[in-house]
Amino acid sequence: MQDSVSQQKKPGKNLGEAGDILDIVLKKGWLIRPQIEQMRQDSLVSQKSVTQILEESGLISQEKLIQAYSDFFKLPIIRLRELYVPRQIISKIPEKLAKKYFILVFDQKADRLKMAIAKPARLQYDRPGVLADIQKKQKVDIDLYITSEGDFNEALKYYHLKPKIKIDQTTKLTELPDKSKNESQPEEKLPQILDILVSQRLINQKEALEIIKKGEKQNVPFENIIREEGYVSDDELAKAQAQQFNLPYLSLKNLKISAENIRKFPIEISEKYRLVVFETLSDKVFKIATAYPENPAAHEVVSFLKSKYGITGYLHITTPQDITLVLEKYKESEPEKKGEHKTFSLFGEGNEPWRPQAKEPKPIGELDIGTLIKKDIQTKEELEKITKTGDIPRTVAGLINFALVKKSSDIHIEPWEKELHVRYRIDGVLRDIIKMDRKMHPGIIARIKISSRLRLDEQRIPQDGRFAISFKNRAVDIRVSTLPTSNGEKAVLRLLEKTKKIISFEELGLTGRAFDVLANNIKKPYGMILATGPTGSGKTTTLYAVLQSINTSQTNIVTLEDPIEYQIDGVNHCQARPDIGFSFAEGLRSILRQDPNVIMVGEIRDKETAGMAVQAALTGHLVLSSLHTNDAAGAIPRMLDMGIEPFLIASSLSAILAQRLVRKICSKCKQQIQMPAEVIGKIDRELAQIPQTSGVKVPKPYTFWRGKGCPECEEGYVGRIGIFEVLPISHQIQALTIKQESANALKNKAIEEGMLTMKQDGLLKALNGLTTVDEVFRTTLIE
């Protein structure tokens, strides 16, 4: 820490100039350049600082805002919610002044004040000399910290917190206030650590008030009083602090900690901050034990490592004795060789040694499973051998590799009461793959979380992340979703092979009139084409096939997706980032300024996106997008529900297709079968409704097929094919749309004009030997 606030970077010094805080926000990818430039323009017009504009915009979270402040002003972050601030400390400056400038004092050591600031720009634009005034009047130096506005507002309560009665050694428990007799004046809430100890009946109310009195008198943390005077054991206090800080507790006594892990921190840092690394999860992910979580320095070390070196440290709480025992192992480990370390300034001017990496490790988000799995895993038995070794990294790599071999789209890792179950979705159907020891569950989930940069210590809420792997020239994106269940966290990994060949428009499975309608509409220079269906029905694959078929050097194609699933040469792919304000609607606005011919929007989710897409289609652009509806006709009422005017829908839409995916019969074990009369009756009724205008001839007599099952297939199936219904927007459909007719009315008119339903398309494919009647029954409703 610097010796004086005058030696630190002065808050607000460069705001609004070149290299302002917005450059940091832009560099981190939290906002895009058009948003940054708009803020600078707004700053000039309103005469407000760019920082004030940024704060008022609400485009980035409080967490990101304070991180930007920390990076720009070179100040550490303090989490005030984790501290208790005695009233005589916070009152070093008046509450009115604190509220005006968003500053408050949270600690004092001798002639130094530790002060948190939530809005640094206030100090320049309202009263630049406020800190100098405080220094002069208090005759102290000031150490500045950055905090969030939420933490600041929460900490203001300490101006008014004080014991309701004076406690001395003669006070008896029966003399304490009776809450039931004085409900109009609520009892002051105890500091969190004392509240936890009281609730656990480790101390009583009288002892809690004694600790408050002694802590404020001696100006030391309450934990010091608790330890020094033995109110509770060190283990009990550590467990209470684990609850307070929502961090795991562990005992280091029985852990076998390698000297290599201990040496991750030099002895000077470990002894100074009482921190030790007891486990290494990867090159840049450590588990760190601390005995003094109430000390801001412990959290500052972790924040510093993250911001300076990209090292993620997960704090655990233990006892001071355990830290001392582990530090003794420093003396037993091999000493550093001279010249093996360099120095850097850690939270101040004192130099601390730090051992540099011999080489820059591979980023966590790019895992090469080839170092763990030497060849493809072909059978469940091979996978089971790996899982039984208990090697977590190899097990996770093995699960992913086997999924790629089996061409699985999703991996489900599900904790049951006594076992850990893994299932794969292969060709749209979930299959049991392997059962593992329940003890493997925490390690596997932790490994997945580390790879996808999710919080290890957060197990109460769902989390979403992603990472990439490479194996034998395969590049695979993996999207991760975790979900807390009654038996622990479930994880689902969706695999997207980037090197996989995109199928052509002709290979989709469109036939006859449906193929002709869609082929003609994608040649138009404007209009909107929608692909509908549930998640996993192949909508994105269809849209990519369309893009590939119209991709020429004379066509400017821009996509807006979340996430980008495939890359096509000649197509400009954009990633939507709603978390930083780059939504589908905002992205569409920017794309329209890029002179596009064709725009693909990954999904229409809201009125704003739908409105922008409609306007784009009406102004000379071909727009492709997807929508979640059950059938093609349902897309029009869905857009009406979003608030789009009927005449705009009728004018902009060119065609709507709905689809499902069915499994294809394996060609190597395909055989003819007989079908029960009841099933044939259902098929007759469905195919009899095919209109003559469709031009389709139903093959008679019916021939039914299935796959017998062989080593080359999964239960007689290999791969999938689409079944479709394509609804062209004719004049009659436009008229019904303007009248806001129901989906059934729209569908009946489309059938009358020659549209095949998905059921009919699927049954015709079954009669032609591409799939089975069972598959069509499974994916569509046959009455």
Side-chain angles (χ1 to χ4, degrees):
M1 185 61 60
Q2 306 292 349
D3 288 335
S4 170
V5 71
S6 60
Q7 292 176 298
Q8 295 176 326
K9 185 167 185 176
K10 195 172 183 178
K13 181 179 179 181
N14 294 321
L15 293 179
E17 301 172 7
D20 61 27
I21 196 169
L22 294 182
D23 287 330
I24 291 177
V25 174
L26 179 63
K27 184 178 180 182
K28 289 181 176 292
W30 294 337
L31 293 178
I32 58 176
R33 188 169 295 281
Q35 293 171 311
I36 296 293
E37 297 305 324
Q38 183 63 51
M39 285 186 182
R40 291 202 173 106
Q41 189 174 4
D42 292 345
S43 175
L44 292 173
V45 172
S46 64
Q47 297 298 306
K48 294 181 180 179
S49 71
V50 290
T51 306
Q52 287 174 289
I53 298 293
L54 179 61
E55 290 171 354
E56 293 168 2
S57 71
L59 291 177
I60 67 173
S61 66
Q62 279 288 310
E63 189 70 25
K64 290 177 179 176
L65 186 61
I66 64 171
Q67 186 60 60
Y69 281 149
S70 176
D71 291 351
F72 181 63
F73 295 117
K74 302 292 190 294
L75 296 176
I77 295 171
I78 186 68
R79 311 289 181 183
L80 291 179
R81 290 177 190 269
E82 300 169 357
L83 303 178
Y84 170 75
V85 185
R87 191 165 182 268
Q88 72 267 26
I89 295 296
I90 198 171
S91 298
K92 292 291 181 180
I93 62 173
E95 184 178 7
K96 185 177 180 181
L97 187 70
K99 288 181 177 179
K100 182 174 181 179
Y101 298 106
F102 288 86
I103 56 176
L104 58 79
V105 178
F106 65 87
D107 195 9
Q108 180 177 15
K109 300 295 182 186
D111 58 350
R112 305 188 67 83
L113 288 183
K114 289 189 176 183
M115 183 179 292
I117 179 168
K119 294 189 176 183
R122 291 292 181 93
L123 296 184
Q124 177 184 9
Y125 291 95
D126 287 340
R127 190 185 176 194
V130 66
L131 294 183
D133 288 351
I134 294 172
Q135 285 182 298
K136 184 176 180 181
K137 291 178 181 178
Q138 300 279 352
K139 296 182 180 179
V140 293
D141 289 326
I142 294 176
D143 294 331
L144 272 181
Y145 293 73
I146 297 291
T147 192
S148 69
E149 188 174 350
D151 275 23
F152 171 81
N153 291 329
E154 179 72 16
L156 288 175
K157 68 184 180 184
Y158 293 120
Y159 274 101
H160 309 285
L161 275 185
K162 57 182 179 180
K164 291 178 69 69
I165 62 171
K166 188 175 181 179
I167 300 293
D168 57 31
Q169 298 297 326
T170 62
T171 305
K172 298 179 181 179
L173 187 60
T174 55
E175 295 175 338
L176 294 176
D178 185 348
K179 289 188 286 183
S180 64
K181 295 179 182 179
N182 191 13
E183 294 182 356
S184 62
Q185 296 182 357
E187 183 183 17
E188 299 288 356
K189 186 177 180 181
L190 291 172
Q192 189 178 6
I193 185 62
L194 299 180
D195 189 45
I196 292 170
L197 293 174
V198 170
S199 67
Q200 294 177 352
R201 298 187 178 181
L202 297 173
I203 62 174
N204 57 38
Q205 191 81 9
K206 177 183 176 181
E207 290 171 327
L209 295 175
E210 288 175 350
I211 293 168
I212 291 175
K213 179 182 177 181
K214 293 174 182 177
E216 293 185 345
K217 183 178 180 179
Q218 299 176 31
N219 193 23
V220 295
F222 299 134
E223 291 82 353
N224 287 23
I225 305 297
I226 295 169
R227 291 189 186 98
E228 291 169 5
E229 300 197 17
Y231 280 90
V232 300
S233 70
D234 286 335
D235 281 329
E236 289 169 338
L237 177 59
K239 290 174 182 177
Q241 288 182 302
Q243 180 178 338
Q244 176 191 4
F245 290 93
N246 193 27
L247 294 173
Y249 163 83
L250 83 162
S251 172
L252 300 180
K253 295 183 181 70
N254 299 320
L255 287 183
K256 294 181 179 179
I257 304 175
S258 69
E260 181 182 357
N261 279 330
I262 297 174
R263 289 198 299 266
K264 293 292 182 182
F265 284 168
I267 184 65
E268 294 88 347
I269 290 180
S270 289
E271 287 186 335
K272 181 175 181 178
Y273 300 107
R274 309 303 289 176
L275 296 168
V276 295
V277 176
F278 64 92
E279 186 177 348
T280 303
L281 300 176
S282 75
D283 289 331
K284 288 200 171 186
V285 183
F286 304 157
K287 287 186 178 181
I288 304 171
T290 178
Y292 301 98
E294 72 274 14
N295 184 356
H299 305 272
E300 290 166 7
V301 168
V302 175
S303 297
F304 181 83
L305 293 174
K306 180 68 176 177
S307 61
K308 183 73 175 178
Y309 296 101
I311 292 173
T312 299
Y314 293 105
L315 278 177
H316 292 61
I317 295 179
T318 190
T319 64
Q321 294 90 336
D322 282 11
I323 293 290
T324 301
L325 286 173
V326 174
L327 290 179
E328 290 297 320
K329 294 188 178 182
Y330 269 112
K331 301 177 177 63
E332 303 168 7
S333 62
E334 182 181 352
E336 285 186 343
K337 295 177 182 179
K338 190 174 181 180
E340 270 193 353
H341 67 269
K342 63 178 181 179
T343 61
F344 67 98
S345 180
L346 181 65
F347 308 118
E349 296 186 343
N351 289 329
E352 311 285 2
W354 187 261
R355 209 167 289 104
Q357 299 284 343
K359 62 179 180 178
E360 186 66 22
K362 195 174 185 68
I364 295 171
E366 286 286 343
L367 300 180
D368 185 0
I369 63 174
T371 59
L372 299 167
I373 304 296
K374 301 302 180 184
K375 63 178 182 177
D376 282 331
I377 300 170
Q378 300 292 342
T379 66
K380 293 181 183 179
E381 289 72 23
E382 291 178 23
L383 179 62
E384 190 172 354
K385 285 181 182 178
I386 292 175
T387 63
K388 285 185 176 179
T389 64
D391 187 329
I392 297 297
R394 284 198 72 217
T395 296
V396 174
L399 290 174
I400 294 172
N401 175 258
F402 192 51
L404 293 174
V405 170
K406 290 296 182 181
K407 298 180 180 177
S408 168
S409 61
D410 300 87
I411 304 172
H412 291 243
I413 300 171
E414 303 171 333
W416 291 17
E417 185 176 357
K418 296 181 180 179
E419 294 174 313
L420 180 63
H421 285 235
V422 177
R423 298 191 288 172
Y424 289 175
R425 188 174 294 280
I426 301 173
D427 290 336
V429 178
L430 270 177
R431 302 183 181 281
D432 288 318
I433 297 299
I434 195 171
K435 298 176 184 178
M436 289 184 277
D437 191 325
R438 185 69 167 74
K439 295 178 182 177
M440 297 278 283
H441 174 249
I444 289 174
I445 295 297
R447 178 72 176 178
I448 292 169
K449 281 186 169 184
I450 290 165
S451 299
S452 48
R453 302 180 187 277
L454 301 180
R455 287 185 56 188
L456 275 178
D457 59 336
E458 182 54 82
Q459 301 174 8
R460 303 163 301 170
I461 59 174
Q463 296 187 71
D464 295 303
R466 63 190 303 171
F467 63 98
I469 61 125
S470 57
F471 183 64
K472 292 185 177 179
N473 297 321
R474 289 169 171 165
V476 183
D477 274 335
I478 300 179
R479 281 181 275 168
V480 176
S481 174
T482 64
L483 181 72
T485 71
S486 58
N487 291 318
E489 285 185 286
K490 174 186 175 181
V492 175
L493 284 65
R494 171 155 289 187
L495 281 60
L496 187 67
E497 194 166 349
K498 294 185 287 186
T499 51
K500 186 177 180 181
K501 178 180 175 289
I502 300 172
I503 65 173
S504 68
F505 183 65
E506 292 72 20
E507 293 171 325
L508 285 173
L510 287 159
T511 58
R513 182 175 180 272
F515 180 90
D516 293 338
V517 167
L518 193 57
N520 290 333
N521 277 287
I522 64 177
K523 293 176 183 176
K524 293 181 179 180
Y526 57 86
M528 182 188 299
I529 298 173
L530 294 176
T532 70
T535 301
S537 60
K539 301 185 297 296
T540 302
T541 300
T542 297
L543 294 177
Y544 270 100
V546 169
L547 288 181
Q548 190 164 249
S549 71
I550 60 177
N551 182 23
T552 67
S553 59
Q554 292 81 36
T555 306
N556 179 18
I557 302 176
V558 185
T559 74
L560 184 61
E561 307 164 70
D562 184 21
I564 297 170
E565 297 195 9
Y566 299 102
Q567 293 280 353
I568 302 177
D569 290 340
V571 174
N572 304 285
H573 298 274
C574 299
Q575 169 74 53
R577 295 283 302 277
D579 57 319
I580 62 171
F582 189 54
S583 62
F584 280 102
E586 183 63 35
L588 264 175
R589 289 191 186 91
S590 300
I591 288 171
L592 288 172
R593 295 192 286 269
Q594 291 285 312
D595 185 31
N597 299 107
V598 180
I599 302 170
M600 188 192 96
V601 182
E603 182 184 343
I604 292 178
R605 301 175 181 175
D606 50 52
K607 178 181 178 180
E608 191 177 10
T609 306
M612 290 293 299
V614 166
Q615 291 300 323
L618 291 173
T619 54
H621 307 87
L622 178 61
V623 179
L624 309 174
S625 190
S626 67
L627 202 62
H628 285 281
T629 61
N630 291 325
D631 57 15
I636 293 175
R638 177 77 183 95
M639 293 188 74
L640 288 170
D641 288 341
M642 287 183 179
I644 307 303
E645 293 294 337
F647 70 92
L648 292 176
I649 298 173
S651 302
S652 60
L653 276 178
S654 298
I656 308 169
L657 69 93
Q659 66 181 85
R660 301 289 187 276
L661 293 176
V662 294
R663 292 178 290 175
K664 292 193 297 184
I665 298 174
C666 174
S667 60
K668 295 189 177 179
C669 59
K670 182 178 178 180
Q671 63 180 18
Q672 193 170 335
I673 60 169
Q674 297 296 318
M675 195 65 67
E678 180 184 353
V679 175
I680 293 176
K682 288 183 178 181
I683 295 171
D684 274 332
R685 289 193 295 273
E686 189 63 42
L687 296 183
Q689 298 176 39
I690 294 178
Q692 292 184 353
T693 51
S694 68
V696 172
K697 291 184 179 181
V698 179
K700 291 283 185 82
Y702 297 155
T703 305
F704 302 102
W705 307 86
R706 75 167 184 182
K708 182 179 180 181
C710 66
E712 302 295 324
C713 65
E714 288 281 345
E715 300 179 356
Y717 298 100
V718 173
R720 290 190 288 179
I721 192 171
I723 57 175
F724 301 88
E725 61 185 36
V726 178
L727 190 160
I729 307 300
S730 64
H731 293 303
Q732 289 84 356
I733 296 294
Q734 286 180 329
L736 293 176
T737 300
I738 292 172
K739 292 178 181 179
Q740 301 187 43
E741 293 286 350
S742 68
N744 281 336
L746 292 163
K747 184 173 184 178
N748 291 336
K749 176 55 70 174
I751 291 172
E752 184 183 315
E753 294 178 347
M755 182 184 81
L756 281 182
T757 66
M758 279 184 291
K759 302 174 190 177
Q760 295 162 351
D761 186 46
L763 289 173
L764 290 173
K765 285 183 168 73
L767 295 178
N768 288 320
L770 294 175
T771 187
T772 64
V773 173
D774 289 342
E775 273 296 285
V776 180
F777 280 26
R778 181 179 67 84
T779 54
T780 63
L781 178 62
I782 304 291
E783 298 177 354

